[in-house]
Amino acid sequence: MLGRRRTFHLLFLMLILNLGGCASWFSDDSVEPAVHLVNVEVVRAKLLEQKFILHFRLDNPNDSDLTVRGLEYRIHLADILLAEGEHEHWFTVGPKRSAYFKVPIRTNLWPKVKDVVKMLKNPNQQIPYRLQGEMETGLFIAHYVHLERNGVIIPADLIPEQHR
């Protein structure tokens, strides 16, 4: 009986001491990936509906693959909410590499047309934008990367030139 109890205590002690190694399975010394909005492509701009494709670049600074599951986003032009939504698209970015991905969005700026017209009065004037959201990464265990980017767009760069 005393031998069994000692064996049980010894096994229990070894189990507790070895659990510290399991914690390293879940520790993450990786650097957060960087997401950049590199282009806004106008697909169609009608009175009640506008369609765009947002072009993003994702930089993976780590030594291992980065699997992206999806993106939840909110995009503001100045103080106007341009679009918000989710884009579920799985892809993998290799170690120390960058990848480009596209997110189609659809919006209705009609209720804010006066504000938009003011911003577009001078098409060469910069308009600030703000991208907020979360990117879900990880193959088996989800990890959420918080996104907060600010920048400017120049409307003249988005309007294709008219050839006569």
Side-chain angles (χ1 to χ4, degrees), residues 80-132:
I80 299 172
L81 177 64
L82 174 66
E84 64 181 332
E86 295 179 23
H87 180 66
E88 294 185 17
H89 179 71
W90 284 57
F91 63 96
T92 301
V93 182
K96 307 276 188 206
R97 296 203 177 246
S98 296
Y100 292 87
F101 65 100
K102 300 174 186 178
V103 176
I105 63 169
R106 185 171 48 192
T107 189
N108 179 5
L109 295 174
W110 177 249
K112 299 168 180 83
V113 72
K114 287 181 183 179
D115 297 328
V116 173
V117 168
K118 282 182 194 176
M119 285 190 286
L120 296 176
K121 197 165 245 177
N122 180 356
N124 293 315
Q125 183 177 343
Q126 296 179 343
I127 300 174
Y129 75 85
R130 185 172 71 249
L131 166 67
Q132 299 171 309

Side-chain angles (χ1 to χ4, degrees), residues 33-34 57-66 92-100:
R57 186 185 78 230
L58 175 63
D59 300 328
N60 178 9
N62 299 302
D63 294 325
S64 59
D65 283 346
L66 174 68
T92 301
V93 182
K96 307 276 188 206
R97 296 203 177 246
S98 296
Y100 292 87

